[in-house]
Every structure is written in C-alpha cells, then in structure tokens.
Amino acid sequence: MRVQWFCFFLSCLTRRVLRGGAELLFDGIKQHQVTLPNQSNPWDIRQLLVWIRHNLLKERPELFIQGDTVRPGILVLINDADWELMGELDYQLEDKDNIVFISTLHGG
Amino acid sequence: MPVNCSSCEERRAVLRRPKTGHSLCKDCFFHAFEEEIHHTIVSAKLFNPGEKVGIGASGGKDSTVLAHVLKVLNERYAYGLDLILVSVDEGISGYRDDSLETVKRNQQQYELPLKIVSYQELYGWTMDQIVKQVGLKNNCTFCGVFRRQALDRGAMMLGVNKICTGHNADDIAETVLMNFLRGDIARLRRCTSITTGSEGAIPRCKPLKYAYEKEIVLYAYFKKLDYFSTECIYSPNAYRGHARAFLKDLEAIRPSSIMDIIHSGENLSVKEDVRMPVQGTCTRCGYISSQSLCKACVLLEGLNRGLPKLGIGKHHKLHHKLLSQEPLSEQEERKLKAVDF
C-alpha cells in the first residue's frame, strides 16, 4: 500500500481534508472529500475532529483522537503547513482547505 | 495567519522544528535537515572514502529518507561511498511483499543496487510459517533475532564495510526508556552508541540518530518520497507500544524530551562491577554470541525440533545437549512444547 492522502470535502462550500497513514481507522478509505453542514460559527479544527470522530471513524477512535485533540504522534498539515504554525485546534477552516493527518506511529 | 521562514525571512514557513523551535520554509528545512545529518556523519566519522556501505532498507519512511539523504550527501560532499540497499524478506505476505515493492521502486528512483535476503533462504522458515507454529505471542522474538543476523549475512555476501540503519531520535529515546524499564544495563549502555559492533560483526551506524521522527516524516512528505506505511500484521509489541505512546505524550508537552532522554542515555556511567556479558562466537554458525549457541541457532533448533519455546526465556543449561545432539528428557520436551496462544 503506498501512502496516499485522505481528503474530505467539506460542505457549504467545498473544503478538503486529507490524511495519510492509519487508514484502517477510516474503514480502509484513504481519502475523503466531505461536505460539512452549515453552521452559524465558522468551523475550526477542534470541531472538525469531533465531526470526523462521529461521522468517519469506524473503530477504535482512541487511535486517532485523545481528549479533544489528535493522538500525540499524529502530524497535522493544514494546506501543506504544520498546524503548529496555524493555530492548531483554533484554526478556522476555509473553503477548499486541505487537511492532512499523518500517523508516525508505524514502523520505519 | 501564514508565518514567514525564520531563516530566509522570505518564503512561507511550512513547519516548526521540534528540535529548535524554528519555523522554516520547505527549502530551508530541507537544507537544515540534510546539513545536520552531514554534521552527524562528519563529527562521528561514520564513513571513510572508498567504503562500501549497505543501507538497511525496509521501504518504510526512515530507511527511505536515509537512502535518499545518503545519496544526496554522497554526491554533494563527495564522500566517495559505494551505496547499496540491503533488504530482508521475512516472508510476511500482505506486508513485506508490498513493502519490498516499494524498495524495488526506490532502487530505480535512487539508482542504487539492491540485495534482498530472505528468511526462507537463510533459515528455511518464513515468518508466516513460524507464526503458524509458535502463535502470536513470541513471534516478534524470532523475527527480531533473525532480522539482525539476516541483515549482517546479506551485508557479508555483498562484502560491505558498514551497514547503516534508519533508526531515528525517537527510536533511540524509546530504546533507552525500554532498557531502563527492563533493567537491561548491558543494552542501556550500548543502545545510544552511533556505531556498534566493530569487533567480529560488520559495524552498524545510525546516521539519523539525532533526526526527529516528525522531521523525517515531513521530509518524506514534502519531498514526495515513495514509502510504505502499514503496521506489520504480526506486530503488536505491547510493551514497546506503551513506551512509544508515553514518549509521544512527553514530546507533545516538551519537544526536547526526546533529545534529553538520548542525552541521559549517552552520559549514564555504568558501575564497574555490573557484570557484562562476554562476547564470543556461536559454535554452530560463527555469528557473535555471548553463549556457546547464538540466539538464532537456538530458535531455529526449537523450530526444527517442534519445540518452539526452546529459544524463549533462558534455557542455557540445555545448550550442551543441543550441541552434542543429545535427546532431551521427556520433561524438558513437555516444557518447551507448550505454546500459549
């Protein structure tokens, strides 16, 4: 299996979220394009994680989410930049954003 | 809220380095990452010009980045090394066969020769067959012991001077922690050395010893390197998993923890009167061993006799019987046959 990236297309407008690595958690699907429901406040990463947990995670959510954030060891890229530079959980999603989750917890 | 690169101050930063806290753009990150590995290689005098160096290649992120960076640095700084990829085929269908395909593509991409050694050819057993006999409890012991020797034997067939492996800073910190938790002082002492096993065995080195896993993964991602990322289907090594999760929790709070643990490991001084095993050679296969029979030979004997627990735990007292081909008593056999699944 080669590394590919998950992408979710988020609703109202089109937003994309990508992820790579532990695709087994997501029913073997590596790439999601999802549409997020409209809401009055803008979506942020914190809410997106909750949404992913309820809508996409098929089993063992603890391998992806710990508390209200991703499990340590999972890297998050927002539009190809480290989320640590983008405000992490507080980053507000915009139209056509790409979010990549990469698990580093695999063997080398 | 894009942040600018703290080095060139022009381009958009793409990551925050866990080691230094700097925010760097792609190009400055590639440069810093490669230069640090160059620095590690030069300051630890890992290689000499004209040497033939085997790169342990699994197709995973670490060894793929290692092969790529060594190839780049060998050309940039004229190390004068003859690089070869060495892969071990453990015979795990659905896992290793796929990752070996990745290594074969890497061979093309980096234009490096590739040698694959298999458990089947070296030991007459694939991991799939071993798991069938021993179950899922101690299979990682077999695999670990066999892999270590297999890489050495592959390297010997190729006549390489050194083997380098993709162990990164997170791996080393994890190993320090594990050896500490298990009270394995002999391993604790040597696990942080950048080069090991110069006597007898082919020396091994770890050029990525100070490279953080996060940076390795992002280097591979931004360079679009072709690597394989799936857990071994037989893997769950629970103890190591806990150590790793603990380390990642620490890193999330304080990224320097990884370097700090390595630093502690490097600077521990072991009491003089701690009994260290004496290195000798295996009387059967000639591989380095602290016992008269090396671990691989004992494990193999167990498999071939249908007594898979022979190599699990301590059965040194039986070694003379194995060497002289004496039969084991019924009681001994019974103890070694029981396999818990």
Side-chain angles (χ1 to χ4, degrees):
Chain A
M1 229 170 305
R2 290 166 73 176
V3 178
Q4 292 171 15
W5 312 106
F6 277 86
C7 71
F8 308 96
F9 257 103
L10 314 185
S11 152
C12 42
L13 308 162
T14 38
R15 295 165 174 171
R16 287 195 299 153
V17 183
L18 301 150
R19 99 179 257 293
E23 66 277 352
L24 291 175
L25 301 178
F26 291 89
D27 213 16
I29 301 166
K30 289 182 169 199
Q31 202 164 310
H32 291 265
Q33 306 190 347
V34 298
T35 5
L36 290 175
N38 279 311
Q39 59 175 42
S40 47
N41 301 322
W43 281 85
D44 60 19
I45 298 281
R46 185 179 283 106
Q47 295 165 328
L48 175 72
L49 291 176
V50 174
W51 187 88
I52 289 175
R53 187 191 166 136
H54 290 310
N55 293 280
L56 295 173
L57 279 178
K58 299 296 175 191
E59 49 185 304
R60 304 185 68 191
E62 72 279 6
L63 293 183
F64 182 66
I65 287 177
Q66 191 169 308
D68 69 344
T69 187
V70 290
R71 183 177 173 214
I74 292 182
L75 302 180
V76 185
L77 298 177
I78 300 170
N79 298 324
D80 262 3
D82 189 353
W83 77 329
E84 290 181 32
L85 302 171
M86 308 289 279
E88 304 193 15
L89 292 170
D90 296 323
Y91 173 81
Q92 296 192 345
L93 289 167
E94 286 176 28
D95 185 22
K96 290 177 188 152
D97 272 352
N98 289 312
I99 315 288
V100 180
F101 299 94
I102 310 174
S103 171
T104 63
L105 298 166
H106 293 301
Chain B
M1 57 205 106
V3 182
N4 266 7
C5 172
S6 61
S7 177
C8 68
E9 297 178 355
E10 278 171 21
R11 291 177 293 258
R12 192 176 78 119
V14 294
L15 88 158
R16 181 184 289 154
R17 302 195 66 195
K19 213 195 275 188
T20 60
H22 294 154
S23 306
L24 294 185
C25 70
K26 246 183 231 184
D27 289 341
C28 292
F29 165 58
F30 291 155
H31 181 76
F33 183 82
E34 289 160 5
E35 288 306 303
E36 280 180 14
I37 292 166
H38 172 62
H39 177 78
T40 307
I41 291 172
V42 172
S43 57
K45 298 191 181 72
L46 293 189
F47 307 120
N48 298 308
E51 275 181 337
K52 203 170 180 184
V53 175
I55 303 171
S58 66
K61 59 182 169 36
D62 300 304
S63 59
T64 303
V65 168
L66 178 65
H68 176 85
V69 171
L70 281 184
K71 163 103 179 155
V72 166
L73 293 177
N74 193 30
E75 282 163 15
R76 185 182 299 163
Y77 291 104
Y79 291 163
L81 302 178
D82 193 1
L83 300 172
I84 305 179
L85 300 172
V86 188
S87 290
V88 176
D89 181 0
E90 296 94 344
I92 304 174
S93 45
Y95 169 69
R96 187 50 93 210
D97 39 5
D98 290 348
S99 63
L100 283 174
E101 288 307 311
T102 312
V103 181
K104 286 177 195 162
R105 286 195 303 274
N106 290 159
Q107 173 195 10
Q108 307 287 324
Q109 291 152 354
Y110 306 146
E111 297 170 311
L112 296 175
L114 164 68
K115 166 83 184 168
I116 299 175
V117 280
S118 71
Y119 283 9
Q120 173 71 58
E121 125 201 28
L122 288 178
Y123 309 110
W125 289 79
T126 66
M127 264 321 278
D128 286 342
Q129 292 165 336
I130 293 174
V131 169
K132 247 184 221 156
Q133 189 173 4
V134 308
L136 283 169
K137 202 158 176 201
N138 294 309
N139 54 321
C140 292
T141 306
F142 285 84
C143 199
V145 171
F146 285 172
R147 188 179 320 102
R148 198 175 164 76
Q149 274 204 19
L151 199 54
D152 267 339
R153 291 185 187 199
M156 265 180 235
M157 289 179 216
L158 292 165
V160 306
N161 304 93
K162 266 161 203 162
I163 305 173
C164 43
T165 55
H167 293 98
N168 60 41
D170 297 55
D171 295 332
I172 314 252
E174 183 184 301
T175 307
V176 171
L177 215 55
M178 298 253 300
N179 287 332
F180 188 83
L181 294 174
R182 288 196 289 222
D184 192 334
I185 306 303
R187 285 206 176 82
L188 184 60
R189 183 146 95 172
R190 57 174 192 252
C191 72
T192 51
S193 334
I194 190 155
T195 304
T196 48
S198 36
E199 302 130 30
I202 297 175
R204 287 189 176 217
C205 61
K206 306 169 187 141
L208 302 184
K209 180 185 170 188
Y210 298 112
Y212 271 57
E213 188 157 64
K214 173 179 172 183
E215 298 196 2
I216 291 175
V217 171
L218 291 180
Y219 185 87
Y221 177 79
F222 290 132
K223 284 266 181 191
K224 300 191 168 55
L225 301 185
D226 184 3
Y227 73 91
F228 178 85
S229 137
T230 297
E231 201 76 54
C232 170
I233 50 171
Y234 299 134
S235 85
N237 185 336
Y239 202 64
R240 189 170 273 277
H242 284 306
R244 165 137 302 208
F246 173 61
L247 201 64
K248 288 289 167 194
D249 286 345
L250 291 180
E251 188 192 4
I253 301 164
R254 199 170 65 126
S256 67
S257 318
I258 303 234
M259 281 310 227
D260 297 341
I261 293 172
I262 297 178
H263 180 74
S264 303
E266 284 172 340
N267 290 287
L268 276 179
S269 58
V270 173
K271 256 195 331 201
E272 285 303 319
D273 57 354
V274 170
R275 205 165 54 95
M276 304 300 272
V278 187
Q279 291 286 3
T281 50
C282 172
T283 44
R284 186 168 290 177
C285 72
Y287 190 74
I288 46 156
S289 168
S290 52
Q291 306 292 329
S292 52
L293 270 179
C294 75
K295 191 83 173 164
C297 284
V298 178
L299 288 170
L300 206 53
E301 178 91 17
L303 285 173
N304 292 334
R305 287 206 192 188
L307 304 170
K309 281 180 109 182
L310 192 59
I312 311 291
K314 302 216 180 295
H315 302 291
H316 299 154
K317 286 177 193 148
L318 298 177
H319 284 193
H320 69 277
K321 280 197 173 180
L322 300 180
L323 276 171
S324 55
Q325 311 266 327
E326 269 177 58
L328 301 179
S329 72
E330 231 175 78
Q331 197 194 355
E332 286 164 345
E333 288 227 358
R334 206 175 323 121
K335 236 169 51 190
L336 299 171
K337 236 177 210 159
V339 181
D340 15 18
F341 282 92

